């Protein structure tokens, strides 16, 4: 039973990291009603930008600030060049636009920084410590705590701030939101910038675990069942879905195998 609980807890902690990736999808969907196929590419772009800046001798926290600024600029460019011309278009049109964005962002990241694999050192040792005889990874605990804090902040933001309510109104009806004075362009910049910040956090954690490489774009695939279980508009649902997927994946991996 001790081994079973070790596997289960490891799966639950990994599930929180899946939830973090799913959260980027939820943010865009809540604000625009479209599934953002480019979220995985944004995770890769943010992680690769950060690690490339650090490797050039920039301080860790300054590199985070610079990368966050880059993600905000990326959000502004996406709104000005892509989204502004797609207001009130069918959802399939917006979805296809995000597919194009995914290819563009992937190519831009590798064109700017190269395609080689990088490692990220966050200063958190991936070693276990014992709690009631059960081994728990320090890194998994740190990553899940970071993700849980971010989810809690975003849930409060959407529920209790004026901007958060405006984001939900835009998702319900673009035309109605415009008619009552909600600035659609600014709202889309905000939500894509926040999604970029989430992508940065997810990229740092997943990059520290698996290395910063093109395969990071496929972490988005792990978020799909999380979204299906938790709902495309539910931030708490993203957490619950992530926990279910993470736990069942680890248990099946150990007890069922290939």
């Amino acid at each position: 039973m001790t081994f079973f609980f070790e596997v289960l807890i490891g799966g639950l902690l990994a599930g929180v990291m899946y939830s973090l990736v799913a959260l980027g999808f939820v943010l865009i969907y809540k604000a625009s009603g479209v599934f953002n196929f480019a979220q995985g590419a944004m995770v890769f772009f943010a992680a690769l930008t950060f690690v490339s800046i650090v490797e050039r001798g920039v301080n860790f926290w300054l590199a985070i600030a610079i990368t966050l600024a880059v993600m905000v600029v990326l959000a502004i460019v996406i709104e000005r060049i892509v989204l502004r011309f797609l207001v009130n278009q069918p959802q399939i049109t917006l979805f296809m636009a995000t597919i194009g964005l995914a290819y563009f962002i992937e190519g831009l990241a590798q064109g700017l920084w190269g395609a080689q694999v990088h490692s990220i050192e966050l200063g958190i040792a991936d070693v276990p410590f014992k709690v009631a005889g059960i081994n728990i990874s320090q890194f998994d605990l740190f990553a899940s705590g970071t993700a849980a804090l971010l989810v809690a902040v975003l849930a409060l933001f959407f529920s209790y701030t004026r901007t958060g309510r405006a984001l939900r109104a835009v998702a319900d009806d673009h035309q109605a939101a415009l008619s009552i004075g909600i600035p659609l362009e600014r709202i889309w910049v905000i939500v894509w910038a926040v999604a970029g910040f989430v992508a940065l956090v997810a990229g740092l954690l997943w990059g520290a675990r698996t290395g910063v490489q093109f395969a990071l774009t496929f972490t988005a695939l792990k978020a799909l069942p999380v979204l299906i279980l938790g709902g495309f508009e539910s931030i708490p649902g993203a957490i619950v879905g992530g926990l279910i997927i993470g736990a069942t994946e680890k248990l099946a991996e150990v007890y069922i195998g290939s």
Side-chain angles (χ1 to χ4, degrees):
M1 286 304 293
T2 299
F3 177 70
F4 170 80
F5 281 116
E6 286 180 358
V7 174
L8 177 62
I9 292 171
L12 292 172
L13 294 177
V16 178
M17 290 181 64
Y18 293 157
S19 300
L20 188 58
V21 179
L23 190 59
F25 290 98
V26 171
L27 288 170
I28 300 295
Y29 194 88
K30 281 175 72 72
S32 63
V34 66
F35 179 78
N36 176 28
F37 194 83
Q39 188 64 28
M42 290 172 66
V43 171
F44 173 56
F45 180 85
L48 186 58
T49 298
F50 168 80
V51 74
S52 299
I53 292 172
V54 168
E55 287 176 353
R56 284 161 173 75
V58 178
N59 174 271
F60 179 90
W61 293 107
L62 179 58
I64 286 182
I66 293 172
T67 306
L68 183 57
V70 169
M71 298 307 290
V72 171
V73 170
L74 181 65
I76 294 171
V77 171
I78 289 172
E79 190 280 322
R80 291 287 176 88
I81 296 178
V82 180
L83 299 179
R84 181 167 294 191
F85 302 101
L86 298 177
V87 175
N88 292 322
Q89 294 298 313
Q91 295 301 319
I92 187 63
T93 303
L94 285 164
F95 173 65
M96 294 301 291
T98 66
I99 293 177
L101 278 172
Y103 286 115
F104 175 77
I105 293 171
E106 290 166 7
L108 177 64
Q110 294 175 94
L112 286 174
W113 307 114
Q116 64 271 28
V117 178
H118 302 263
S119 61
I120 293 180
E121 180 56 59
L122 299 180
I124 308 296
D126 193 8
V127 296
F129 66 94
K130 284 187 177 293
V131 177
I134 298 173
N135 289 314
I136 300 176
S137 167
Q138 290 185 29
F139 181 84
D140 283 349
L141 204 58
F142 168 79
S144 61
T146 301
L149 177 63
L150 186 59
V151 166
V153 170
L154 289 172
L156 292 173
F157 170 73
F158 270 103
S159 299
Y160 298 106
T161 67
R162 183 174 181 178
T163 302
R165 290 192 293 271
L167 290 172
R168 299 207 309 274
V170 169
D172 288 338
D173 191 317
H174 294 173
Q175 197 66 38
L178 285 169
S179 69
I180 62 172
I182 294 176
L184 189 60
E185 293 86 358
R186 191 179 70 177
I187 290 297
W188 269 351
V189 167
I190 290 172
V191 75
W192 277 80
V194 173
F197 173 68
V198 172
L200 172 58
V201 176
L204 291 179
L205 295 177
W206 278 104
R209 168 59 61 80
T210 63
V212 178
Q213 53 190 312
F214 182 76
L216 270 182
T217 59
F218 300 120
T219 57
L221 297 179
K222 289 288 185 76
L224 295 181
V226 174
L227 291 166
I228 292 168
L229 286 173
F232 282 78
E233 294 186 1
S234 173
I235 291 177
I239 286 289
V240 174
L243 293 176
I244 293 172
I245 294 300
T248 52
E249 180 187 44
K250 287 291 184 183
L251 290 171
E253 190 178 279
V254 171
Y255 288 102
I256 298 177
S258 59

